[in-house]
Amino acid sequence: ALYMAMGTGKTRTALQLVKIRLVKGKINHVIWLCPFSVKENLRRDIIFHTGSEQKELITICGIETLSSSIKENIRLLNLVQEKSCFIIVDESNLIKNPKAKRTENITRLGEYCRYRLILNGTPITKTEADLYSQWYFLDWRVLGYKSFWSFAANHLEYDDAGRIIRSLNTDYLTKKIAPYSYQVKKEECLDLPEKTYDTIYYELTEEQ
């Protein structure tokens, strides 16, 4: 898991991990899943870092597409069974819901891939519940739970309305994911100026 803030080089780092396994002959294809809105940015980044779009090597697909497109799910399922794939889930917080169709579909694809990687700015966006599906995708043995309910029984406390009110045994989770995680914050590697704020007044046209 690469937990790297925006601008700290997630894509570049992931490409280097791909190259290492490619050179060693351990993979021959990459499936890169990302939010649909950043597909073009990802293509540009790949071209910038590698000198070409790498169409023969890298298949890019929008995560949202795997929620509903039977055709795309079948295409990728055939691909992971035919080739030795490295699967990457960019902005992996989009698969944090274990009940979501896209989470189920992406997890199924991952089962056919020897190498799996998740990229995100931070390990947790709301509660420790976010960790379960992302780490189950990587390998259920890391956290040691085969179902969300067994995970929840050990790490989540709910109120009468079914809302999470407290996380439990968080030290255990931190210890489990630490050997397989790499985290970078902006302040650790970028020399950025302080943010500046200004107030600008403007009017919208009638059409706007």
Side-chain angles (χ1 to χ4, degrees):
L2 298 182
Y3 294 125
M4 303 172 68
M6 185 173 63
T8 60
K10 284 198 297 288
T11 303
R12 177 68 182 84
T13 307
L15 286 169
Q16 188 63 30
L17 292 173
V18 167
K19 181 182 177 182
I20 291 169
R21 286 154 178 78
L22 193 64
V23 169
K24 291 182 177 180
K26 293 184 176 181
I27 62 167
N28 54 27
H29 200 77
V30 178
I31 294 178
W32 202 311
L33 308 177
C34 66
F36 190 83
S37 60
V38 305
K39 282 177 67 176
E40 289 308 313
N41 285 341
L42 176 59
R43 283 196 180 95
R44 285 195 291 269
D45 283 347
I46 290 171
I47 292 170
F48 176 78
H49 291 301
T50 67
S52 71
E53 196 170 340
Q54 303 290 340
K55 278 188 174 182
E56 296 302 313
L57 174 64
I58 301 175
T59 297
I60 299 173
C61 179
I63 291 173
E64 299 90 339
T65 303
L66 297 178
S67 298
S68 56
S69 174
I70 295 174
K71 180 180 178 181
E72 192 65 7
N73 273 291
I74 291 173
R75 182 176 81 91
L76 294 184
L77 201 54
N78 288 335
L79 191 58
V80 295
Q81 292 179 68
E82 293 168 0
K83 296 180 177 289
S84 299
C85 289
F86 188 151
I87 187 166
I88 299 171
V89 181
D90 207 335
E91 300 300 334
S92 60
N93 60 299
L94 291 179
I95 62 165
K96 67 184 182 182
N97 181 358
K99 296 180 181 178
K101 275 291 181 188
R102 63 187 173 207
T103 303
E104 294 176 356
N105 292 334
I106 290 170
T107 300
R108 183 170 63 246
L109 290 174
E111 290 172 356
Y112 292 93
C113 302
R114 184 178 176 188
Y115 296 99
R116 304 165 210 158
L117 183 69
I118 58 173
L119 313 179
N120 209 44
T122 180
I124 298 166
T125 52
K126 290 186 178 180
T127 71
E128 276 72 11
D130 296 350
L131 293 173
Y132 174 75
S133 292
Q134 297 176 68
W135 282 90
Y136 188 90
F137 163 79
L138 287 176
D139 194 319
W140 71 267
R141 293 172 296 180
V142 176
L143 295 182
Y145 301 109
K146 285 190 173 182
S147 74
F148 178 74
W149 307 115
S150 56
F151 171 86
N154 286 282
H155 299 289
L156 303 175
E157 186 177 323
Y158 295 85
D159 64 13
D160 293 338
R163 293 171 297 211
I164 297 170
I165 57 174
R166 195 156 65 99
S167 297
L168 311 169
N169 305 317
T170 55
D171 288 347
Y172 170 89
L173 296 174
T174 302
K175 183 179 178 180
K176 284 291 188 179
I177 70 173
Y180 310 99
S181 304
Y182 178 67
Q183 187 168 15
V184 178
K185 299 176 182 178
K186 282 187 177 181
E187 56 267 27
E188 294 173 330
C189 61
L190 298 177
D191 185 18
L192 297 173
E194 291 296 315
K195 290 182 179 179
T196 57
Y197 298 89
D198 200 358
T199 301
I200 300 173
Y201 296 95
Y202 60 92
E203 294 182 1
L204 297 175
T205 66
E206 185 176 346
E207 183 181 2
Q208 290 169 333

